[in-house]
Amino acid sequence: MVHSSPIIDVAAAVIIRPDGSFLLARRPEGKPYAGYWEFPGGKVEPDESVPHALRRELLEELGIQVEHACPWITRVFTYAHATVRLCFYRVVKWHGEPHPHEKQELSWQSIDHVVVEPMLPANAPVLRALGLPPVYAITNAAELGVQLSLERIESALQQGLRLVQVREKGMARDELRAFAGEVVALAHQHGARVLVNGDVRLSREIGADGVHFPSVQLMDLTSHPGVNWCGASCHNAEELFRAAQLAMDFVVLGPVLPTSSHPGLPALGWQKFAMLIRDYPLPVYALGGLRREDLITAWEHGGHGIAMMRSIA
C-alpha cells in the first residue's frame, strides 16, 4: 500500500518596505533547492501556531522582531522531496534590520523588476498575486453619468488607482464599448489594468487586461477562460472553491457590510469573511459598504484589499 507523505506546514513572510519592495532569500548550500530564491520563513513546529512560527523563524533567520503581520494567501505545492503548505503573511512592521543568520543571501526586490533567479517553483503565482494593488475600483456610470464617471476614474488614477472593473449592466453594447474603451485608454496612460465584467469578447475588442466573472458565470465555467487576468465575484464557500479550482487570479467576496445597492442581501461581517478565506489560495478583495479607511481592517482579516464602487475618488 502507498502512503502519501504528510503535508509540511511552512510560515512564509512577504516582508514589505513602505516603498513596496519586498525581501527574498537565497537558499544556502546543504538545503534542498540550494541556490534558489524564496520568501523567508520556515517549518511550523508541532503544536505551534503559524503566527508564532513566523515570528520565531524571522528572528532566527534574519534577526528581526515582527511587530505587525497579516495573513494573506495559502498555497499547497508538491516538490520531489515533500508537499508543503505555504502560509503567507504580509509583514509590514518589524524591529531591526534583516541580516542573513543562516548563510543565506538576501535581496530586496520590486514587483515590477524581479531580477534574482532562479525562483522556487511555488513562488510564481505568489509573485503574480503580490502585483495586485490594494484597491479595486468598480465603475458606476449608471448612477453618475458617463462624463462624471470618467472624470472620477481619471482623478483616482492620478492618485494611484491601478485596477478597475468596468461593470455597467444597463448600458447598450455600443455605449458600453465606447465607455469601456475610454476607461482602458485612461487606465493604460497611468499603468493601470482594466477588467470587463462578464464579456471576454468585449475585453479583447477594446484591449482590456482581462475579465471579471459574476458568480453565476463563474459557476458555469468548465475551464480557465484563457484571458490574461481573471477575477470573480463570490458570496459563499462553494463559489470560492470553484474560483480556486479554475485558477482565477483573484476573487471579490461580499457583501462584507450592508450596501445601498443590495439592501436586502445579508452582510457577511468581518468574522465570517475571515473564516471563509482562511487558508485560501487566491488573493481576496473585500466588497460591500467599504471605504478606503477599511483597508487595514481587510488586511487584518486575511483580505488582499478592498473593492469599491461609490468611493472611487
Side-chain angles (χ1 to χ4, degrees):
M1 182 180 291
V2 176
H3 295 279
S4 58
S5 58
I7 294 176
I8 299 170
D9 283 317
V10 173
V14 184
I15 303 170
I16 306 172
R17 282 173 166 170
D19 66 0
S21 60
F22 56 93
L23 189 66
L24 292 175
R26 191 179 191 187
R27 294 175 70 85
E29 291 298 323
K31 284 195 173 185
Y33 286 93
Y36 279 74
W37 292 86
E38 64 179 350
F39 291 94
K43 294 179 186 178
V44 180
E45 299 293 343
D47 301 321
E48 184 181 33
S49 70
V50 176
H52 185 275
L54 185 84
R55 286 167 168 78
R56 175 183 54 75
E57 286 285 348
L58 296 189
L59 184 61
E60 292 172 1
E61 285 188 15
L62 306 175
I64 63 173
Q65 292 180 316
V66 175
E67 294 183 22
H68 193 189
C70 299
W72 183 40
I73 60 175
T74 298
R75 307 282 307 188
V76 175
F77 194 86
T78 300
Y79 290 101
H81 68 288
T83 296
V84 294
R85 178 165 39 230
L86 297 156
C87 306
F88 286 92
Y89 275 65
R90 290 190 289 192
V91 179
V92 294
K93 192 175 181 183
W94 62 92
H95 180 71
E97 187 62 28
H99 290 287
H101 286 205
E102 296 182 354
K103 299 182 180 179
Q104 74 275 47
E105 292 180 45
L106 302 179
S107 180
W108 290 98
Q109 298 288 302
S110 163
I111 194 59
D112 298 319
H113 193 55
V114 178
V115 297
V116 296
E117 58 179 23
M119 292 285 295
L120 274 180
N123 287 328
V126 180
L127 289 170
R128 186 170 171 85
L130 195 57
L132 287 166
V135 175
Y136 184 27
I138 303 167
T139 65
N140 190 25
E143 188 173 299
L144 296 174
V146 167
Q147 192 54 44
L148 181 55
S149 183
L150 289 170
E151 289 172 7
R152 292 242 181 127
I153 290 166
E154 184 171 24
S155 174
L157 290 165
Q158 290 169 350
Q159 295 172 45
L161 177 68
R162 290 297 176 264
L163 188 62
V164 182
Q165 179 194 155
V166 176
R167 182 187 182 278
E168 301 295 343
K169 300 286 190 180
M171 272 191 186
R173 186 171 178 84
D174 286 349
E175 185 183 9
L176 176 59
R177 191 182 193 285
F179 173 71
E182 289 196 60
V183 174
V184 168
L186 282 172
H188 287 181
Q189 287 173 21
H190 292 84
R193 300 186 188 101
V194 178
L195 276 62
V196 174
N197 184 278
D199 195 328
V200 174
R201 182 178 172 186
L202 178 60
S203 174
R204 288 173 174 153
E205 284 176 4
I206 62 173
D209 303 280
V211 179
H212 185 101
F213 292 94
S215 56
V216 172
Q217 274 185 279
L218 168 71
M219 299 306 285
D220 285 340
L221 287 173
T222 56
S223 62
H224 190 280
V227 294
N228 189 23
W229 286 93
C230 292
S233 293
C234 298
H235 309 91
N236 54 46
E238 183 184 13
E239 291 166 358
L240 286 167
F241 178 81
R242 188 70 180 132
Q245 197 177 37
L246 291 165
M248 294 281 146
D249 290 299
F250 66 89
V251 301
V252 169
L253 178 62
V256 176
L257 302 179
T259 67
S260 55
S261 57
H262 298 85
L265 200 61
L268 295 171
W270 284 114
Q271 193 170 3
K272 188 168 183 182
F273 173 87
M275 181 190 72
L276 282 168
I277 66 170
R278 184 179 179 186
D279 296 331
Y280 192 62
L282 307 180
V284 181
Y285 288 94
L287 171 71
L290 305 180
R291 305 183 67 84
R292 285 183 182 268
E293 51 264 35
D294 295 307
L295 180 58
I296 292 173
T297 304
W299 285 343
E300 289 172 345
H301 288 83
H304 179 84
I306 54 174
M308 301 184 297
M309 179 183 288
R310 288 178 174 79
S311 304
I312 285 181

